[in-house]
Amino acid sequence: MSDALVIIPTYNEIENIGNIIDAVIALPDNFDILVIDDASPDGTQDVVRRKMQQHPDRVHLECREGKLGLGTAYIHGFKWALAKGFEYIIEMDADFSHNPNDLPRLLKECKENNADMAIGSRYVSGVNVVNWPMGRVLMSYFASAYVRFITGMKLRDSTAGFVCYRRNVLEAINLDKIRFKGYAFQIEMKFKTHFLKFRIVEVPIVFVNRQLGTSKMNSSIFGEALFGVMKLKLGSIFNKKNFI
């Protein structure tokens, strides 16, 4: 077993999941993979099971009984990873918007350079997003600016979903108190990590919009983030004892 686990939530990712697993397994660093599938009707789980046979003890699958949200999928994965003893736990999309070749760079920041959280950042060195409509680029960029203004975090990409954690960060956060399921989940995890004074670094990446499959982003997810940030900040001020 590796000391690093890549968690990949899926819903209808049959076009991508086999290839992303192969790409991660092929890396020189020894990453394990946990796919958390929300009852995809398209056969995603069947592909993962074939990969489990090809790579026993490296590829793992957790199946849930419905589409329960990105945040709850990651919480499920975090708890699984902690129970199995992994030291480094990484969030990653299934659709190649996150380049698997960037995984060793995120891991190195935590494993060798004393970061507690390493973020694959789209905006720390300009705007590094490929094939997104301009409206979505602006929405994402200004969402991060809004989060910086409200929370006081200096992160350029607070909504990023490509993140490596040391296990001590996830142990310090009460995962059962994470309230958000969508876009705001990423902000909440970073803000609580910041609140606990862990060391966060941003690693520049190029984010490429998915080529296959369907995006799960919608306006309600973005709205959750917009109002959720204010709730997080107020909670950290007026309810510090129960915030974490």
Side-chain angles (χ1 to χ4, degrees):
M1 187 180 81
S2 167
D3 61 354
L5 178 72
V6 179
I7 301 174
I8 304 176
T10 54
Y11 182 76
N12 285 350
E13 291 288 356
I14 193 169
E15 300 100 330
N16 295 303
I17 191 61
N19 291 332
I20 199 77
I21 288 172
D22 288 343
V24 174
I25 291 292
L27 293 170
D29 297 78
N30 192 26
F31 293 98
D32 278 20
I33 300 169
L34 171 63
V35 176
I36 300 177
D37 187 73
D38 276 7
S40 296
D42 69 344
T44 295
Q45 292 181 17
D46 296 331
V47 175
V48 177
R49 290 189 179 97
R50 290 197 291 271
K51 295 300 177 183
M52 292 170 70
Q53 293 177 348
Q54 294 174 21
H55 308 287
D57 302 323
R58 295 283 306 279
V59 180
H60 313 274
L61 174 65
E62 289 283 290
C63 303
R64 306 200 301 170
E65 294 184 355
K67 195 174 181 184
L68 304 175
L70 180 71
T72 62
Y74 276 127
I75 296 299
H76 185 112
F78 293 159
K79 291 179 177 180
W80 189 95
L82 293 175
K84 298 293 184 181
F86 288 94
E87 291 295 328
Y88 307 96
I89 298 98
I90 303 169
E91 301 177 3
M92 183 178 176
D93 289 349
D95 61 7
F96 283 93
S97 55
H98 301 144
N99 188 337
N101 292 326
D102 288 325
L103 282 168
R105 297 170 59 223
L106 295 184
L107 180 62
K108 182 178 180 180
E109 288 298 324
C110 290
K111 201 167 188 175
E112 300 179 19
N113 297 338
N114 298 316
D116 297 303
M117 170 188 276
I119 300 168
S121 177
R122 297 163 291 186
Y123 307 126
V124 73
S125 61
V127 178
N128 294 310
V129 178
V130 178
N131 293 335
W132 257 10
M134 182 54 66
R136 188 168 175 186
V137 173
L138 292 173
M139 181 178 71
S140 175
Y141 183 83
F142 285 110
S144 285
Y146 168 74
V147 172
R148 284 198 305 277
F149 176 74
I150 297 296
T151 66
M153 292 192 294
K154 301 193 182 302
L155 301 178
R156 305 300 299 183
D157 194 356
S158 55
T159 62
F162 196 19
V163 183
C164 180
Y165 298 84
R166 283 181 178 269
R167 71 174 288 123
N168 61 329
V169 175
L170 299 178
E171 288 172 333
I173 295 172
N174 185 340
L175 298 175
D176 292 326
K177 287 187 177 180
I178 299 298
R179 69 177 71 181
F180 296 114
K181 295 181 179 181
Y183 208 49
F185 166 80
Q186 300 294 355
I187 302 168
E188 183 172 8
M189 290 299 298
K190 293 175 185 68
F191 185 55
K192 290 192 172 182
T193 302
H194 165 80
F195 182 83
L196 290 168
K197 303 189 185 308
F198 285 110
R199 181 170 181 261
I200 305 174
V201 301
E202 291 187 269
V203 178
I205 64 161
V206 175
F207 181 97
V208 180
N209 195 30
R210 67 162 63 234
Q211 299 297 311
L212 299 171
T214 303
S215 173
K216 314 304 187 292
M217 177 61 67
N218 58 51
S219 58
S220 66
I221 290 173
F222 183 73
E224 177 193 60
L226 184 67
F227 297 106
V229 173
M230 187 63 71
K231 291 179 181 177
L232 285 173
K233 182 61 177 178
L234 293 173
S236 72
I237 295 171
F238 297 109
N239 194 21
K240 287 185 179 181
K241 184 176 179 181
N242 295 313
F243 182 65
I244 298 299

